[in-house]
């Protein structure tokens, strides 16, 4: 029920916000994000307290009997972390958007719609629902950028929409293929006893709701389950071997499916060279939308790799892992280098996102526990640090109405609190130990070092990013807040007010807590990640 | 033995102080300084207790340890480890921190920002203690980075100051020593950034080193507390090390790479060639911050780390350490000779002395290099701190002037500063009875021992260190005579000068005795304490070929004295006797050499040209152009027009593909545009084609 509330609650609030009085809109938005945060936080806490690889809070509402699709919701620790992040970031974005005066009803309604779609992506266990939510969330995003954005909002919004849509449209083909490759009466699949033991919640009687059949004649043989035709992700994952046997366009279905999925995810992450929609979207989007975009939307790509690509196509993930690693490295270094050359604050932060998300790919590709954990931790912590950076850029834009780095200088004198917050955000982005940027980066790097060739080399090269990230982030800090006051009219700027501090507070607290002691998060993620690793290993043997 | 909470409290107390003092109201600098000093003072007592206990027991104390993260194949821990060198270093850090903080109360008594200093300072001290007391390489790295943050904040303490090229005060007061300084990028805010980024260059190497150590530890199946000192020692001694391989590199090659990576970090923090460029700029911060950065924290961290990782350094890596130290020791000394900014002389002398420490470390355990390098680290911390505090007193007394050329005769106006700083100068020059004599002699002896033992290239660091030492006594005495000797040269600068008052004076007087050799050599406690574990066995071997080591020792001592005498004689003859024109004549005679040294050997400019302008500006601008397109394209997009240069950048390719698709669509749309003629023509055309095709068959 809680998960239904996490998806349909914001949806209901969106309707209420659109239809209700103008003044209530922002409060509906606040309520929707707080609800998500509460549910996500409670779920995550449950995994911290009782670690496990199982899906909890499961709920199933039949949708289409023919298609075998239904609203199957459930969370493991990966999705719980993402759900909590989505709630937190939306809360921050809402608070930062409180001052938004232009048509608040549709603005907050769209934010709620976006939140509902994001939550649906994170909690669904059904590939069809996943795909629908994945595409649906583009619409509110398109409208948020296209209606409330800056001068070039139409260009940026269309580019974002078409680019990401083109990236993910092949997923639809994948759905059809997976559906048509399964016999109507289902498929009998042998599952390694170890995998049954790792995931089953009732001592091996059932697996993901399916009865486990053990042959009495051959006690050593692997247990067998009859998998019905459906879009249940867990059932699709059980048949990973079948996807390798079915052929499509002269290649295994799994190869086609993996590439389709990979394209969709890489555009979202975004991986270089598929990233150029991001700077446009960020520059044109209003502050709150930038916060949502960097804080949650980019994580969808990473989440898709963990949730769909790896379970369904473990063999392909393994063979393509070095490519993913190289793409990650390319993103890390290229994003940082381009960020160094930016003169627009938002564009700089956008490219820093490209660089930081590269660590997710590098860690994921290394297929070690450290790397996988690093990818997830980096996804969460980058959400916090990028959101804080965009929030602060927004604070500056509200006062100066421009974002040119060289149009500022010496703001630490009129705005000391802002200067400290900006320094914290920059240091978190630069991966300073004690702040949350560090664990993700370090785990990603150590995962790469401890993986097989060519990953140690990739890790060694990725070390160079610590130079660049310090240069572009702290260089920006120097130009904006330190030195003598460059423009006398800036002396009148008010320091961060209570609302802005309130928006920044949860992010700063999160950055410090996760930076100093990330153990609870990693321990909560452990069973789920180990199950994924086991899945890859069993695919190799 | 000591209670298990003691080292933890010693470590965490400054952090607590930083938080508490940071929460105090900004208007009470006195309270902030007082509270911070009281807490650090309490920490000092605990650190001394810890030091006496550890030294008395003669055994390292392994403190509490917690697992930070368990990552399957390996675990990362946080914990404390106190052996003799850590205990002594922690004591020195605390002692100097308390004294500098007390001095700072006087130094900043008229600074409106003074209340901000203590908490940042305490945070800095905490980070340094973390490096000193950590029980593994991972925690060391974390605290190492925090040390970088601490220096960033302190160097940028007066962040609102303009660049030197736009600062009328700087332009009016600048001495001849400003040559070679890039004035347009010289300000506290530039200096803090430069320090951080330069350090990060080293830290990239450090991270790489950690990664390679992880590869080795996991390759040998020693993943539990993979980066702990004890575990790494076992990794290095593991006979199976040779069987580990990665990218075709043998285990030993990997070990060399890992050690060099860690050393790269030390090169950054300890300001060794070619990453030394941040340290002279760092003097844009308050002089009290410089005195702690140059003495007990920050630059000391690199030397300490190499000494800490000594068992993991194979001979090849130690050779690199020695050579880096030797080169730095010599070239920094030449620069110090021609600087006219009184803090710049001290800054380059620090770089040079740190080089000397690395020469000592590079000599190897057998030659006593580690003990010598550490001993010099400790003695240097004391006299360099004193020198900077004296420099701060002089600058404060002369209303911000820093030009040696305009000072002189200050010994009459500020006798306490003059005589305490003379003691420190004699110590750094290595005069007998002073602490520098004892430690520098040990370093030279170690270098000589290693050179005679290995021969060939191993002589390089030793020779360079000798040349550096010769220059040290010359430029330090020049510094002292220019400030305090002779007569007043510019009364407008010096006529208000007076000794610091109250506590600040006592701080100088308290530090002065530590410049003597006696506190360090009494009973040979320092050498005893620092001797390698298993010293009993070692001492037996020591006794067997005592004559050989004695030889190196005596030779080293004679050499050190000789170098001191020559350098000092020159300085006294030229600067002590008021024959300054002699120096000017020499500078004219060797104009090229003089220019080269005054221009800092061009290293700062090279960094600026290649790194700041080349990579930072042109390289990144090129990357940005490849990524989003030229500025014209961006301007066209801003204006709402399609970019003119599609397919010329990554983003242009995307737009180009969109444009091609658009044209195709428009081409297709031509067929069903609603024009009857088109439909007729197409229909006739298709009909004709069908007819022709049918007739063909």
């Amino acid at each position: 029920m809680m998960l239904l509330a996490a998806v349909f609650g914001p949806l209901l609030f969106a309707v209420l916000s659109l239809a209700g009085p103008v003044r209530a809109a922002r409060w509906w938005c606040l309520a929707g994000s707080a609800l998500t945060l509460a549910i996500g936080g409670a779920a995550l806490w449950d995994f911290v307290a009782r670690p496990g690889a199982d899906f909890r809070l499961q709920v199933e509402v039949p949708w289409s009997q023919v298609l075998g699709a239904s609203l199957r919701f459930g969370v493991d620790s990966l999705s719980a972390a993402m759900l909590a992040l989505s709630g937190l970031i939306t809360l921050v974005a809402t608070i930062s958007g409180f001052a938004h005066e232009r048509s608040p009803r549709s603005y907050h309604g769209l934010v709620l719609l976006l939140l509902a779609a994001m939550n649906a992506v994170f909690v669904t266990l059904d590939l069809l629902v996943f795909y629908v939510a994945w595409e649906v969330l583009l619409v509110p995003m398109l409208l948020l950028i296209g209606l409330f954005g800056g001068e070039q909002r139409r260009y940026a919004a269309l580019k974002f929409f078409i680019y990401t849509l083109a990236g993910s449209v092949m997923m639809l083909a994948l759905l059809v293929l997976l559906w048509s490759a399964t016999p109507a009466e289902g498929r009998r699949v042998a599952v390694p006893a170890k995998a049954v033991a790792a995931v089953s919640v009732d001592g091996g009687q059932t697996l993901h709701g399916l009865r486990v059949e053990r042959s009495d004649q051959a006690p050593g043989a692997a247990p067998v389950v009859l998998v019905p035709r459906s879009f249940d992700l867990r059932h699709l994952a059980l048949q990973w071997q079948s996807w390798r046997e079915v052929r499509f366009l002269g290649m295994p279905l799994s190869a086609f499916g993996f590439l389709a999925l990979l394209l969709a995810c890489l555009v979202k992450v975004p991986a270089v060279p598929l990233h150029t929609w991001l700077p446009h979207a960020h520059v044109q989007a209003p502050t709150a939308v930038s916060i949502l975009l960097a804080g949650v939307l980019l994580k969808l790509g990473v989440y898709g790799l963990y949730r769909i690509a790896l379970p369904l196509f473990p063999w392909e993930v393994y063979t393509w892992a070095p490519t993913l690693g190289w793409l990650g490295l390319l993103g890390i270094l290229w994003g940082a280098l381009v960020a160094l050359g930016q003169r627009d604050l938002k564009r700089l932060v956008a490219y820093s996102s490209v660089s930081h998300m590269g660590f997710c790919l590098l860690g994921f590709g290394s297929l070690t526990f450290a790397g996988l954990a690093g990818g997830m931790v980096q996804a969460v912590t980058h959400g916090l640090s990028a959101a804080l950076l965009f929030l602060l850029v927004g604070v500056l834009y509200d006062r100066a109405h421009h974002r040119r780095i060289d149009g500022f200088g010496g703001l630490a004198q009129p705005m000391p609190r802002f200067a400290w917050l900006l320094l914290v955000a920059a240091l978190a982005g630069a991966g300073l130990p004690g702040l949350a940027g560090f664990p993700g980066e370090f785990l990603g790097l150590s995962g790469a070092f401890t993986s097989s060739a060519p990953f140690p080399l990739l890790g060694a090269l990725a070390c160079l990013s610590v130079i660049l990230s310090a240069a572009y982030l702290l260089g920006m800090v120097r130009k904006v807040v330190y030195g003598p006051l460059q423009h006398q009219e800036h002396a009148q700027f008010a320091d961060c007010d209570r609302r802005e501090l309130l928006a920044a507070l949860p992010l700063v607290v999160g950055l410090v807590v996760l930076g100093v002691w990330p153990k609870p998060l990693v321990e909560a993620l452990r069973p789920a990640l180990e199950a994924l690793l086991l899945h890859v290993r069993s695919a190799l043997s | 033995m000591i209670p298990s909470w003691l080292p933890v409290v010693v470590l965490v107390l400054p952090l607590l102080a930083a938080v508490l003092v940071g929460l105090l109201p900004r208007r009470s600098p006195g309270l902030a300084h007082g509270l911070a000093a009281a807490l650090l003072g309490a920490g000092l007592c605990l650190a001394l207790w810890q030091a006496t206990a550890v030294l008395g027991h003669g055994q390292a104390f392994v403190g509490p340890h917690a697992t930070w993260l368990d990552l399957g194949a390996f675990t990362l821990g946080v914990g404390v480890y106190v052996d003799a060198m850590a205990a002594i270093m922690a004591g020195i850090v605390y002692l100097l921190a308390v004294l500098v903080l007390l001095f700072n109360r006087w130094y900043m008594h008229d600074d409106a920002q003074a209340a901000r200093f203590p908490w940042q300072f305490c945070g800095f001290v905490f980070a340094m203690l973390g490096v000193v007391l950590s029980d593994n390489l991972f925690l060391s790295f974390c605290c190492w980075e925090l040390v970088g943050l601490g220096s960033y904040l302190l160097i940028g303490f007066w962040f609102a100051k303009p660049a030197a090229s736009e600062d009328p005060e700087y332009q009016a007061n600048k001495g001849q020593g400003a040559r070679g300084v890039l004035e347009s990028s010289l300000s506290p805010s530039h200096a803090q950034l430069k320090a951080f980024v330069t350090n990060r260059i080293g830290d990239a190497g450090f991270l790489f080193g950690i990664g390679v150590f992880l590869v080795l530890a996991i390759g040998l199946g020693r993943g539990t507390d993979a980066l702990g000192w004890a575990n790494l020692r076992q990794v290095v001694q593991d006979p199976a090390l040779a069987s580990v391989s990665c990218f075709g590199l043998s285990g030993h090659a990997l070990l060399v790479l890992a050690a060099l990576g860690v050393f790269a970090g030390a090169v950054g923090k300890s300001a060794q060639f070619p990453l030394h460029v941040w340290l002279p700029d760092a003097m844009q911060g308050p002089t009290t911050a410089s005195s702690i950065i140059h003495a007990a924290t920050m630059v000391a961290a690199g030397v300490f780390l190499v000494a800490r990782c000594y068992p993991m350094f194979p001979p090849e890596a130690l050779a690199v350490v020695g050579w880096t130290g030797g080169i730095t020791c010599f070239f920094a000394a030449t620069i110090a000779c021609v600087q006219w900014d009184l803090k710049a002389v001290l800054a380059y002398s620090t770089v040079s002395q740190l080089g000397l420490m690395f020469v000592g470390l590079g000599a190897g355990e057998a030659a006593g290099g580690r003990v010598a390098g550490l001993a010099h680290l400790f003695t240097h911390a004391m006299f360099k701190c004193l020198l900077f505090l004296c420099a701060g007193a002089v600058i404060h007394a002369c209303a911000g002037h820093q030009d040696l050329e305009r000072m002189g005769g200050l010994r009459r106006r500020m006798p306490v500063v003059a005589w305490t700083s003379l003691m420190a100068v004699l110590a750094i020059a290595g005069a007998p009875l002073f602490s520098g004599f004892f430690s520098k002699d040990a370093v030279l002896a170690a270098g000589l021992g290693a050179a005679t033992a290995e021969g060939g290239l191993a002589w390089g660091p030793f020779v360079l260190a000798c040349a550096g030492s010769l220059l040290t006594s010359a430029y330090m005495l020049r510094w002292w005579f220019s400030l305090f000797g002779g007569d007043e040269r510019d009364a407008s600068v010096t006529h208000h000068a007076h000794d610091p008052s109250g506590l600040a004076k006592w701080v100088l007087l308290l530090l002065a005795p530590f410049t003597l050799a006696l506190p360090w050599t009494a009973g040979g406690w320092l050498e005893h304490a620092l001797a390698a574990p298993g010293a009993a066995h070692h001492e037996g071997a020591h006794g067997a070929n005592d004559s050989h080591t004695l030889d190196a020792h005596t030779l080293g001592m004679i050499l050190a004295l000789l170098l001191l005498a020559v350098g000092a004689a020159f300085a006294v003859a030229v600067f002590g006797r008021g024959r300054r024109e002699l120096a000017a004549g020499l500078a004219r005679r060797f104009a090229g050499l003089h220019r080269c040294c005054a221009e800092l050997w061009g290293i700062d400019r090279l960094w600026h040209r290649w790194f700041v302008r080349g990579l930072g500006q042109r390289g990144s601008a090129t990357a940005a152009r490849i990524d989003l397109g030229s500025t014209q394209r961006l301007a066209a997009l801003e204006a709402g027009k399609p970019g003119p240069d599609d397919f010329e950048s990554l983003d242009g390719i995307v737009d180009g593909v969109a444009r091609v698709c658009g044209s195709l669509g428009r081409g297709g749309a031509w067929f069903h545009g609603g024009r009857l003629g088109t439909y007729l023509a197409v229909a006739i055309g298709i009909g004709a084609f069908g007819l022709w095709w049918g007739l063909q068959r």
Side-chain angles (χ1 to χ4, degrees), chain A residues 377-400:
Chain A
V377 172
Q378 176 80 352
V380 172
T381 58
H382 171 261
L384 303 179
S385 68
L388 185 56
L389 275 170
F390 277 117
L391 178 72
L392 296 171
V393 173
V395 167
L396 217 49
Y397 187 78
D398 286 346
R399 287 159 177 71

Side-chain angles (χ1 to χ4, degrees), chain B residues 143-190:
Chain B
C143 295
W144 180 267
E145 292 285 294
L146 292 179
V147 168
L149 170 65
S151 69
Y152 177 84
L153 292 176
L154 286 179
I155 294 168
F157 189 75
W158 293 312
F159 52 75
K161 258 171 68 171
S165 57
E166 290 155 19
D167 187 0
E169 196 189 340
Y170 177 90
Q171 293 296 336
N173 295 339
K174 79 173 173 187
Q176 303 172 19
R179 277 183 71 179
V181 174
L182 301 155
E183 288 184 354
S184 62
S185 56
L186 185 69
S187 71
S189 63
H190 281 96

Side-chain angles (χ1 to χ4, degrees), chain B residues 467-478:
Chain B
S469 301
L470 173 76
L471 294 175
T472 304
S473 51
Y475 69 73
M476 282 315 299
L477 282 166
R478 162 181 173 264

Side-chain angles (χ1 to χ4, degrees), chain A residues 91-92 95-96 388 391-392 395 398-399 415-422 424 494-509:
Chain A
L91 191 67
V92 169
I95 298 175
S96 84
L388 185 56
L391 178 72
L392 296 171
V395 167
D398 286 346
R399 287 159 177 71
M415 310 171 71
R417 279 184 297 217
F418 170 81
W420 279 112
L421 284 175
L422 189 66
V424 168
D495 203 352
C496 290
D497 58 25
R498 222 172 272 165
R499 181 179 58 80
E500 288 157 344
L501 289 178
L502 188 66
L505 183 73
L507 298 175
V508 173
V509 170

Side-chain angles (χ1 to χ4, degrees), chain B residues 434-493:
Chain B
F434 287 91
S435 62
F437 176 69
F438 147 70
S439 55
K440 196 183 278 191
D441 155 49
V443 168
L444 291 181
L448 184 63
T452 45
E454 290 165 42
L457 277 178
W459 282 95
F462 171 69
V463 172
L464 287 166
C466 286
S469 301
L470 173 76
L471 294 175
T472 304
S473 51
Y475 69 73
M476 282 315 299
L477 282 166
R478 162 181 173 264
W479 182 84
W480 194 84
F481 281 121
S482 300
L483 283 179
F484 302 103
D487 300 317
E488 277 186 346
R489 283 194 290 278
D490 188 342
S492 68
V493 172

Side-chain angles (χ1 to χ4, degrees), chain A residues 32-361:
Chain A
S33 42
L35 177 70
T36 310
L37 179 60
I39 295 172
L44 188 59
W45 178 251
D46 190 34
F47 279 101
V48 172
R50 300 184 293 129
D54 53 325
F55 288 93
R56 297 182 189 166
L57 301 174
Q58 285 195 36
V59 59
E60 182 162 352
V61 180
W63 180 26
S64 160
Q65 295 276 312
V66 182
L67 285 176
S70 53
L71 295 178
R72 289 187 192 91
F73 292 160
V75 287
D76 66 351
S77 46
L78 305 185
S79 21
M82 283 294 149
L83 192 64
L85 179 73
S86 142
L88 180 69
I89 298 296
T90 315
L91 191 67
V92 169
T94 310
I95 298 175
S96 84
F98 251 38
H100 203 281
E101 293 309 328
R102 199 155 44 117
S103 38
R105 281 192 301 191
S106 47
Y107 174 80
H108 291 292
L110 286 170
V111 170
L112 281 165
L113 210 58
L114 181 67
L115 178 65
M118 292 191 303
N119 290 352
V121 170
F122 289 137
V123 302
T124 183
L125 295 176
D126 188 283
L127 190 57
L128 187 66
V129 177
F130 181 92
Y131 174 73
V132 170
W134 178 281
E135 299 289 40
V136 159
L137 64 81
L138 296 182
V139 178
M141 203 65 193
L142 168 81
L143 293 175
L144 279 171
I145 299 176
L147 293 178
F148 299 94
E151 295 272 290
Q152 299 308 310
R153 52 182 181 269
R154 275 173 54 93
Y155 173 78
L158 266 181
K159 186 167 212 163
F160 160 76
F161 188 78
I162 295 176
Y163 209 137
T164 44
L165 191 70
S168 51
V169 77
M170 275 297 144
M171 245 207 287
L172 185 60
L174 169 65
L175 286 177
V176 176
L177 287 171
L178 287 177
W179 171 252
S180 55
T182 321
E185 68 278 8
R187 179 183 275 127
R188 297 176 72 79
V189 176
V191 185
K194 237 206 253 173
V196 175
V199 182
S200 176
V201 284
D202 52 4
Q205 293 302 307
T206 62
L207 185 63
H208 301 312
L210 305 173
R211 206 168 61 78
V212 179
E213 300 162 17
R214 284 188 178 75
S215 158
D216 293 334
Q217 281 81 29
V224 172
V225 286
L226 175 68
V227 185
R229 182 155 85 171
S230 81
F231 282 113
D232 190 318
L233 281 173
R234 297 158 300 177
H235 298 171
L236 293 173
L238 287 176
Q239 309 171 60
W240 64 268
Q241 256 167 328
S242 317
W243 312 136
R244 294 191 61 208
E245 287 151 12
V246 181
R247 299 193 76 79
F248 171 71
L249 289 181
M251 59 173 146
L253 170 57
S254 56
F256 171 81
F258 173 73
L259 290 179
L261 204 60
L262 188 64
L263 184 67
C265 292
L266 289 185
V267 171
K268 271 268 178 9
V269 167
V272 175
L274 304 174
H275 65 287
T276 57
W277 59 271
L278 186 72
H280 294 293
H282 268 313
V283 167
Q284 298 304 331
T287 300
V289 179
S290 274
I291 292 174
L292 285 170
L293 185 57
V296 192
L297 241 73
L298 303 189
K299 279 74 204 171
L300 290 173
V302 179
Y303 181 76
L305 289 175
Y306 280 82
R307 172 63 67 235
I308 318 263
L310 207 151
L312 261 62
F313 312 116
W315 175 260
E316 278 68 26
V317 167
Y318 177 76
T319 27
W320 283 77
T323 313
L324 282 175
W326 279 108
L327 281 174
L329 178 72
L330 183 66
I332 291 169
L333 294 182
W334 182 256
L337 191 62
V338 178
L340 195 55
Q342 295 307 317
R343 294 181 191 153
D344 181 300
L345 274 173
K346 269 195 159 180
R347 219 174 264 155
L348 184 144
V349 182
Y351 279 106
S352 84
S353 291
V354 174
S355 178
H356 288 138
M357 295 306 286
F359 278 101
C360 294
L361 285 183

Side-chain angles (χ1 to χ4, degrees), chain A residues 152 155 159 280 351 526, chain B residues 68 70 159 627 638 651 655:
Chain A
Q152 299 308 310
Y155 173 78
K159 186 167 212 163
H280 294 293
Y351 279 106
R526 177 185 303 283
Chain B
W68 192 67
D70 174 3
F159 52 75
D627 202 87
E638 296 277 309
D651 195 40
D655 281 6

